[in-house]
Amino acid sequence: RKNTNEDFFTHDLLLTFGINVNAIPQPSIVLMNFVHSKEHGGGVNWTTIWGICNSGIVAFSSLTVIIFCSCRIIREFLIPNVKYSDATRSLQLDIFRALLVQFFIPFIFCFLPYLAIIILPLTGSRFGETGNILANVASIFPALDACMVMFMIRQFRSMIVKWIRTL
């Protein structure tokens, strides 16, 4: 017997798109996103395809800029520079590391869970409560991001340690 709690879209898919997910063999849900049903004129759903392509272009462009700028910053840090004192250079390295952490934490805790939430149903597999866990993981990243930045910068970290010791 199927778990009816996981089938809350079955009725909508049947009425809106004409897809009976209870049919045997089970239909491919992936096509629903890329092909209009007969009631909606049939044919390719170009709006969805263009939306996916535009999102991919924006994501690829952003990652390209991030990688390019990171490589340039790292190259500047490797060149000995007499303009800055060791303390300033150390602070700049701490801030750069904090920026890297600010990129990776949302990527790991927000982007990847939401990507899984979107892609896993397209495969036809059911993941039940895992979707709730992924959504909860995505919701903790703002607090985790702020805490990690505070611990990445040496001056902030030492102030937090002093404050904890006074408690």
Side-chain angles (χ1 to χ4, degrees):
R1 183 169 183 257
K2 276 188 161 183
N3 184 354
T4 56
N5 292 335
E6 291 183 6
D7 294 334
F8 49 85
F9 287 119
T10 302
H11 184 68
D12 291 333
L13 288 173
L14 185 59
L15 290 178
T16 307
F17 298 101
I19 297 174
N20 182 4
V21 294
N22 294 323
I24 308 250
Q26 196 170 21
S28 173
I29 302 295
V30 175
L31 292 178
M32 174 190 71
N33 294 312
F34 302 109
V35 179
H36 289 291
S37 65
K38 292 177 185 172
E39 292 83 20
H40 291 93
V44 177
N45 185 351
W46 287 109
T47 305
T48 299
I49 292 171
W50 283 115
I52 290 170
C53 289
N54 286 334
S55 298
I57 289 169
V58 169
F60 179 74
S61 301
S62 298
L63 286 174
T64 303
V65 169
I66 288 168
I67 291 169
F68 175 77
C69 291
S70 296
C71 290
R72 294 287 307 261
I73 290 170
I74 289 169
R75 187 169 43 160
E76 282 295 317
F77 283 135
L78 294 177
I79 298 171
N81 197 337
V82 293
K83 288 192 279 185
Y84 302 115
S85 68
D86 289 339
T88 303
R89 191 171 187 78
S90 174
L91 180 62
Q92 287 177 339
L93 277 169
D94 286 347
I95 291 172
F96 177 67
R97 288 184 192 113
L99 286 173
L100 288 177
V101 167
Q102 281 187 306
F103 167 74
F104 283 111
I105 286 180
F107 184 79
I108 293 168
F109 287 94
C110 191
F111 179 74
L112 292 179
Y114 280 128
L115 187 67
I117 288 171
I118 291 169
I119 289 180
L120 285 177
L122 293 177
T123 64
S125 63
R126 299 181 184 276
F127 56 97
E129 292 82 20
T130 306
N132 295 338
I133 294 168
L134 292 172
N136 287 330
V137 166
S139 69
I140 66 167
F141 102 86
L144 186 61
D145 191 36
C147 291
M148 289 305 294
V149 169
M150 285 190 288
F151 287 110
M152 291 297 296
I153 298 175
R154 196 170 294 123
Q155 286 86 355
F156 288 154
R157 187 174 52 236
S158 64
M159 288 175 55
I160 292 170
V161 169
K162 287 179 188 175
W163 179 75
I164 290 173
R165 287 182 181 162
T166 61
L167 294 178

